[in-house]
Amino acid sequence: MKNLALDIGDVWTGTAISDALGMFARPYQTVETKDLVLFLTTVLQKEPIKAVVVGHPTTMRGTKTAQTIKVEEKKQELESLFAQVEWLFWDESYTSQLAEELKPARSKEEKRQSHSIAAAYILSSYLDHLQFLKNGSDDNLDNEGEDTLA
């Protein structure tokens, strides 16, 4: 199953989607935030989505801002409408800056696309975390109490 990421903003929301194995994240679409419910309805009908990862904007000290509260409220609204998938927050620190470094926006269209690139960074970080947990668990199982024969 795939995972979807949202980088929710006041006007635009960047989205990214993973492959079915959950190894790669790619920018998907940038949609107007006011159209997010329609977008999710369409995507969830055509793609097998396991989880929606929402970028969680906090300060460098981990405190909430006005934008944090808006995103938390939007996630709660979407979660109640689309309860068939798992919803979770993921740190979005520096993702907009990384997107700008990767592809500097020279036009309004490129600026819109940068939101989806930021969402791909969010999703990639989440997928890396899942892989780390999987590999870490496998390593622990392989090495714990293992007798070696020489």
Side-chain angles (χ1 to χ4, degrees):
M1 294 196 64
K2 298 178 180 184
N3 294 291
L4 184 72
L6 303 177
D7 182 25
I8 300 172
D10 290 333
V11 179
W12 297 102
T13 295
T15 69
I17 195 164
S18 75
D19 64 311
L21 296 175
M23 295 179 65
F24 304 102
R26 66 176 172 86
Y28 194 54
Q29 293 179 25
T30 299
V31 298
E32 288 191 67
T33 302
K34 67 180 180 62
D35 297 331
L36 199 49
V37 171
L38 177 61
F39 168 80
L40 288 169
T41 300
T42 303
V43 170
L44 294 175
Q45 287 174 352
K46 77 177 192 180
E47 298 283 357
I49 302 295
K50 176 183 179 183
V52 179
V53 180
V54 178
H56 197 229
T58 57
T59 67
M60 295 309 297
R61 294 182 182 204
T63 59
K64 292 183 181 186
T65 64
Q67 190 64 27
T68 308
I69 294 166
K70 288 179 195 178
V71 169
E72 288 174 349
E73 289 171 352
K74 189 62 153 176
K75 177 193 169 271
Q76 187 174 14
E77 171 195 337
L78 295 170
E79 193 170 11
S80 67
L81 292 171
F82 302 100
Q84 72 270 29
V85 295
E86 177 185 352
W87 288 82
L88 57 117
F89 280 123
W90 199 255
D91 181 30
E92 69 168 34
S93 298
Y94 300 112
T95 57
S96 295
Q97 291 90 336
L98 290 169
E100 178 64 24
E101 287 174 15
L102 180 68
K103 185 175 181 186
R106 292 181 173 84
S107 67
K108 285 185 179 184
E109 180 59 31
E110 287 179 347
K111 178 63 178 159
R112 274 193 294 271
Q113 290 173 349
S114 73
H115 295 286
S116 290
I117 295 170
Y121 276 115
I122 293 165
L123 184 55
S124 182
S125 172
Y126 173 71
L127 296 175
D128 288 348
H129 173 75
L130 292 180
Q131 195 64 36
F132 175 79
L133 290 177
K134 181 180 180 225
N135 289 341
S137 297
D138 290 348
D139 289 345
N140 289 338
L141 290 174
D142 290 343
N143 296 327
E144 276 185 17
E146 180 178 305
D147 292 329
T148 55
L149 299 173

